[in-house]
Amino acid sequence: MNAKEVFRQTNILYFSLLAGQVLFCSVIVFAILNPETRQTGWPEGTYGLLVPAILVGVLPLVFFINNRQLSQGSEEENLPAKMAHYRTLVILRSALIEGVNLFSLVILLLENNTTFLIFFGAGLLLFLYFRPSMNEFLQHYQLDSGEQAEFNYQ
């Protein structure tokens, strides 16, 4: 499998995760926007501080894992191994962020409080920040001249 095919598959996975989050959010918002039951304002229920605490806790974790894995990626022995390492990193960081986003949406549904959309929005911005890119791969994986030729050829 060549580098462009791996990036295409990685991007398809990433955008599928993104679309799933947005679709799930849309369904939940549609379900709770009944004017008689809608709540707004800072959450006072059981989950009021749980979602922001998890979001704040996962944020540094994602950055730490991302930076650590990117620095180790250049140690891989060949281009396919580097591509596989990068794909694994994209899946890992996307899954961590998506987990927090989906948790925010579930709590939004349970608490019936649209304030939790703020946390979902913050998580979605973080998810978008970590979009996979060829530039990121080239910057952090230090391809040698043979790998660069193979990468550009593919």
Side-chain angles (χ1 to χ4, degrees), residues 70-71 73-76 82 136-145 147-148:
L70 283 176
S71 67
S74 61
E75 299 170 6
E76 296 294 334
K82 289 177 181 180
E136 179 184 49
F137 176 75
L138 293 172
Q139 178 183 0
H140 292 284
Y141 282 79
Q142 302 166 355
L143 306 181
D144 62 30
S145 58
E147 291 171 336
Q148 284 182 0

Side-chain angles (χ1 to χ4, degrees), residues 39-52 103 107-116 119:
Q39 295 178 355
T40 59
W42 187 257
E44 296 178 12
T46 310
Y47 307 105
L49 294 176
L50 186 60
V51 173
F103 182 72
I107 300 305
L108 165 73
L109 183 61
L110 291 175
E111 289 287 310
N112 198 21
N113 189 328
T114 56
T115 304
F116 287 102
F119 305 117

Side-chain angles (χ1 to χ4, degrees), residues 10 13 17 84 86-97:
T10 302
L13 173 69
L17 291 171
Y86 183 67
R87 181 177 42 208
T88 302
L89 171 61
V90 169
I91 292 168
L92 178 62
R93 68 188 184 194
S94 297
L96 283 170
I97 299 167

